[in-house]
Amino acid sequence: MIGVQSMMPELSVVIPIHNEAASLEQLHRELTATLGAAGLLYEIIVVDDGSTDESFEILARLQAIDTHLRVIRFRRNFGQTAAFAAGFDHSRGRVIVTSDGDLQNDPRDIPAMVAALDRGVDIVCGWRKERKDAFFSRRLPSMLANRVISWATGVRLHDYGCSLKAFRAEVIKPLRLYGEMHRFLPAIASEQGVTICEVPVRHRARQHGRSNYGIGRTVRVILDLLTVKFLLSYSTRPLQIFGLIGVIMGLAGAAILSWFAGIRLLGTLGLMADQSIGNRPALLFGILLVFTGVQLVTLGLLAELQSRTYHESQRKPTYAIREILQTSPGERSVVRGA
């Protein structure tokens, strides 16, 4: 058995995997060699996100001989964000490093990222400066997405999509993740006033299988970006965005209706030619603006109530775990239905 570990780890490496059986043994060897040479107390948390190949069997075999390895198995595929969230919830280190399980991230970059945290930074983001992916299907959409995300969130990074990141545990563990939010972690954490740096990391061509993600997820990323922008700017004051738009629309509608009311009144008093206003599209447009403005202000008030409920609600995980393989001092334990 590799290195029985009785002390709490300093470093937790969280790796979500989905059908990565061909990569797991080499990934484990590289991580063990790198982290062991770094001289840190560490744990490796691999989250099996509903794999249908032999991934879990291989992980179970590796965990039986390595007490540093902890395996979390989902009941079904919940997505990469939920897998990261599970790893964060079960990590014990003061530093949490995230990485992919497809061998494209190089574990040799981890010690340098941990050292950057020790110099006072809260989050260290990997930058795949020489990315080994197809240009039109992967790199070009990523470059455009990085610019849009940087502009929308105000946190400027070259590579939001790189999974190799290092966090202080007190920064990352309180965050609640949904959808495809894992790629926006630096932006979401920026609300806490954290310091973020970016370091170039190695990137290797995919050796086994094919990527589980493609250009089709762009729409989901854009929708999640809208959510992140809203959470960063208006999560605690939604009335200011809905109410502002509602008031502007309501005033515009009131001005249009006032204009037509004036025309009708002057016509009735004989001060100008009597004009019919009932068949004018602008009248209906003014009514629409007023009603929509009222609805948006009401929506803002309801959002204020929901925002308070959200911030005061109990923490609820976004995943369901089948079992956890881990080694306690002196014995091996299997926790089912955690």
Side-chain angles (χ1 to χ4, degrees):
M1 182 173 288
I2 300 175
V4 175
Q5 182 170 298
S6 59
M7 299 178 63
M8 293 295 288
E10 301 175 73
L11 171 66
S12 298
V13 180
V14 176
I15 303 175
I17 62 104
H18 179 70
N19 294 338
E20 300 286 359
S23 304
L24 292 177
E25 292 187 354
Q26 181 179 345
L27 176 65
H28 178 258
R29 285 196 303 271
E30 292 185 5
L31 282 169
T32 300
T34 299
L35 299 177
L40 294 171
L41 292 174
Y42 68 91
E43 64 178 356
I44 302 170
I45 302 176
V46 180
V47 183
D48 181 1
D49 186 20
S51 294
T52 55
D53 61 1
E54 298 178 352
S55 293
F56 181 73
E57 288 72 17
I58 294 173
L59 290 171
R61 186 171 69 250
L62 293 173
Q63 198 282 327
I65 60 173
D66 185 1
T67 60
H68 297 90
L69 178 62
R70 302 171 67 198
V71 181
I72 298 175
R73 185 186 187 190
F74 282 177
R75 292 187 178 275
R76 63 171 178 83
N77 179 255
F78 284 89
Q80 194 173 17
T81 296
F84 276 126
F88 297 156
D89 288 343
H90 290 82
S91 62
R92 299 173 293 181
R94 64 176 182 85
V95 171
I96 299 176
V97 171
T98 60
S99 181
D100 279 333
D102 55 11
L103 297 175
Q104 289 193 273
N105 294 138
D106 194 330
R108 291 177 296 172
D109 290 311
I110 294 177
M113 301 181 79
V114 175
L117 288 179
D118 290 337
R119 292 193 293 269
V121 180
D122 294 309
I123 300 176
V124 181
C125 301
W127 172 18
R128 297 167 293 183
K129 199 170 183 178
E130 298 180 2
R131 187 172 174 180
K132 309 297 184 183
D133 284 324
F135 180 76
F136 287 104
S137 62
R138 301 296 298 276
R139 289 160 53 195
L140 180 59
S142 179
M143 290 167 57
L144 297 175
N146 289 324
R147 292 185 179 181
V148 172
I149 296 171
S150 296
W151 169 78
T153 63
V155 179
R156 302 192 177 278
L157 296 175
H158 292 92
D159 193 356
Y160 268 92
C162 181
S163 293
L164 190 58
K165 296 181 175 72
F167 306 86
R168 294 186 184 276
E170 66 270 18
V171 169
I172 196 65
K173 288 178 76 71
L175 301 183
R176 301 293 93 196
L177 303 178
Y178 304 93
E180 297 278 338
M181 294 293 188
H182 65 276
R183 71 186 62 259
F184 303 114
L185 282 172
I188 298 173
S190 69
E191 189 179 20
Q192 305 176 30
V194 299
T195 54
I196 303 172
C197 76
E198 194 172 25
V199 298
V201 296
R202 302 173 183 88
H203 189 249
R204 302 182 290 197
R206 189 176 180 90
Q207 301 179 31
H208 305 286
R210 60 183 181 86
S211 174
N212 295 313
Y213 301 95
I215 196 171
R217 62 177 174 169
T218 302
V219 174
R220 298 197 300 271
V221 172
I222 292 174
L223 293 176
D224 280 330
L225 176 59
L226 294 176
T227 302
V228 170
K229 178 61 177 176
F230 177 79
L231 292 176
L232 290 176
S233 301
Y234 299 104
S235 63
T236 58
R237 46 193 178 98
L239 182 60
Q240 293 190 17
I241 181 64
F242 292 112
L244 176 62
I245 298 174
V247 167
I248 291 174
M249 295 181 69
L251 290 176
I256 294 174
L257 295 180
S258 298
W259 171 258
F260 283 112
I263 292 175
R264 186 63 177 166
L265 178 62
L266 292 175
T268 302
L269 295 176
L271 299 178
M272 63 180 296
D274 193 10
Q275 301 182 44
S276 174
I277 62 173
N279 59 351
R280 296 194 180 186
L283 177 64
L284 296 178
F285 182 61
I287 295 173
L288 175 65
L289 287 177
V290 170
F291 274 93
T292 304
V294 172
Q295 288 179 327
L296 284 174
V297 171
T298 304
L299 179 62
L301 292 172
L302 294 175
E304 286 281 341
L305 295 177
Q306 190 172 10
S307 174
R308 281 152 178 74
T309 302
Y310 169 78
H311 287 287
E312 296 171 7
S313 62
Q314 296 181 349
R315 298 170 60 183
K316 183 178 180 181
T318 58
Y319 52 85
I321 295 174
R322 183 187 300 274
E323 57 188 310
I324 300 175
L325 301 181
Q326 62 185 20
T327 301
S328 300
E331 62 178 3
R332 181 168 183 257
S333 61
V334 178
V335 182
R336 301 184 183 277

